[in-house]
Amino acid sequence: MPTPSRSARDALALGWLWLALAALIGAGLFSVLLVLSRTPYVKDAFRFADFFRVALIVHVDLSVLVWFAAFAGILWTLNGSARLLEAGWGALALCAVGTLLMCAAPFLEAAPPVMSNYVPVLDGKIFLAGLLVFAAGCALLVLRALFAAPRVGKRPDGAAALRFGLNAAAVSAAVALMAFAWSWFALPSGLDGKAYYEVLFWGGGHVLQFTWTLLMFAAWLWLAEAIGARAPLSPRIAILLFGIGLASVFATPVLYLAYDVVSVEHYRMQTWLMRIGGGLAIVPFAAAVAWALATAPRPGPAARPLRAALAWSLLLFGAGGLIGLAIQGSNVKIPAHYHGSIVGVTLAFMGLAYHLLPQMGYAAPQGRLATLQPWLYGAGQLAHVLGLLWSGGYGVQRKVAGAEQVLRGAEQVAAMGLMGLGGLAAVAGGFLFIVVVMRAMVAPQWTSSTSPS
């Protein structure tokens, strides 16, 4: 029987998948250097702190910004209609070129690393040019997602709730882009260095966290349905929770109008908005999905990797949220918090990638390696987070490595050793994800449409 040709929409989604995989590969390579540069005894081989900072910047931008945006591209492409596909290909091309420039920048120019929150940068022409090109691609991606967004319908079902969630994430991303642009135009001319980039990325960076969280909620519901778990949420309640998660985003323009971007009030209100407003929908969503997992039937071979990814996503995201409540001062409890939260989103996306592959024309990832991957990645990241949390209790500072990372006593050495071992296990789990996906993609098996219908 002849193999059907791939639809234009699925082909575009596949292009975003390749960019997402490339971002993970690059982030994994840089993460190996990061973990080694902070691991006791091994860290002594890294004499220059700037090496750690440069590697950290590229790793963060690839593993959070590019990977998340590319996966959002997959979901918005599959969720939307076939309108403006040319714009979608243009967005993909811009994002790919921007990513290449950012990855090449450390090897082509000596630019000072700036450890700004949300989007750390190398303050050089090549890296910043790549970041601007990538931002232009993201803007085009979001505009197309909004114009091609499907209608939810008057009588929503489970698929309509998913469509609403993905549409809400696109709206949130549009507000984030607006916040970045607003900050750029409102920045006073006297700022430079870290202060400049900190203010530039603060507002939009906070809104991006709402975007990734909304996409994670959609991935949770999608995965729960895929493994036969029934979340105790009606479609209308799910839409309401998505709406609550989006509602805080609309307060962002009010904050920009009320406070100057360099004011303490602007800084604090953005933080308050994320902590309070962002948490309103998280608890009921997480509780409903956790209940669905606990009462789900025994999974079959194809569902086991999805169930493992969903369970570890819930655990890591919850751990990150709880650690956030314990943060005091500037120490490695802060990266423990956001590593847990970010990895929770990543694991949800990994599990959803496994689910979407057969619907995009490839074999379903299953077997021991596919099931092992979420366990290895999740357990490694949990050990990494716990090591950072333990170290933070002893005052180990964030964003330092090598000679600057002063470890006093066996407890600090043991804590950072746990961090290093967990980080290496997580890196192995990340590379295993690439292996599992690549193996599935060598055996095409065309099935039904990929849209949440």
Side-chain angles (χ1 to χ4, degrees), residues 129-441:
L131 188 61
L132 283 173
V133 172
F134 182 81
C138 289
L140 190 55
L141 166 66
V142 172
L143 284 174
R144 185 195 172 270
L146 293 174
F147 279 106
R151 295 182 178 179
V152 174
K154 295 182 179 179
R155 296 183 177 180
D157 54 10
L162 280 178
R163 287 195 294 269
F164 182 88
L166 295 174
N167 293 346
V171 173
S172 176
V175 175
L177 291 170
M178 179 213 70
F180 285 130
W182 198 328
S183 295
W184 193 1
F185 286 111
L187 276 167
S189 57
L191 285 180
D192 57 9
K194 183 178 180 180
Y196 177 89
Y197 292 110
E198 192 73 21
V199 175
L200 175 61
F201 298 128
W202 187 254
H206 274 80
V207 182
L208 274 184
Q209 308 318 302
F210 287 100
T211 304
W212 310 143
T213 303
L214 288 167
L215 290 174
M216 182 187 66
F217 289 163
W220 282 355
L221 293 182
W222 210 333
L223 287 171
E225 180 183 353
I227 64 175
R230 291 183 174 272
L233 291 175
S234 69
R236 293 184 183 276
I237 295 298
I239 289 174
L240 174 63
L241 291 177
F242 277 121
I244 292 173
L246 179 63
S248 298
V249 171
F250 295 121
T252 300
V254 178
L255 297 183
Y256 272 86
L257 290 170
Y259 305 110
D260 191 272
V261 294
V262 297
S263 66
V264 174
E265 291 81 6
H266 179 85
Y267 184 94
R268 289 178 177 174
M269 289 300 292
Q270 291 284 358
T271 303
W272 180 87
L273 188 64
M274 186 175 69
R275 287 181 178 177
I276 305 301
L280 293 177
I282 290 174
V283 174
F285 251 121
V289 176
W291 174 262
L293 266 177
T295 58
R298 186 175 180 178
R304 286 171 192 156
L306 311 186
R307 183 187 179 100
L310 179 56
W312 277 105
S313 173
L314 281 167
L315 178 60
L316 267 297
F317 193 83
L322 291 176
I323 292 171
L325 300 176
I327 292 175
Q328 290 182 345
S330 180
N331 54 54
V332 289
K333 286 184 181 179
I334 296 174
H337 156 65
Y338 65 68
H339 266 91
S341 300
I342 287 169
V343 171
V345 178
T346 292
L347 277 160
F349 287 176
M350 287 177 169
L352 194 53
Y354 287 165
H355 176 57
L356 292 175
L357 276 172
Q359 300 182 49
M360 294 174 68
Y362 298 106
Q366 55 185 294
R368 293 181 179 179
L369 283 183
T371 304
L372 172 65
Q373 185 274 318
W375 281 89
L376 181 60
Y377 187 74
Q381 288 287 7
L382 182 60
H384 184 81
V385 165
L386 291 177
L388 289 170
L389 176 64
W390 185 8
S391 304
Y394 289 105
V396 175
Q397 296 300 293
R398 62 188 295 227
K399 298 182 180 179
V400 297
E404 295 184 353
Q405 182 180 298
V406 180
L407 302 180
R408 300 183 179 91
E411 295 86 355
Q412 292 186 16
V413 172
M416 292 305 285
L418 176 63
M419 179 281 306
L421 289 174
L424 289 174
V427 170
F431 280 119
L432 186 56
F433 172 75
I434 303 296
V435 172
V436 171
V437 171
M438 292 296 187
R439 287 180 58 181
M441 294 177 75

Side-chain angles (χ1 to χ4, degrees), residues 77-120:
T77 299
L78 298 178
N79 178 57
S81 66
R83 295 178 60 192
L84 302 174
L85 283 177
E86 297 82 1
W89 283 108
L92 176 59
L94 288 171
C95 287
V97 171
T99 302
L100 283 174
L101 287 173
M102 287 189 286
C103 291
F107 309 102
L108 299 178
E109 64 180 354
V114 180
M115 307 299 293
S116 48
N117 283 294
Y118 296 114
V119 187

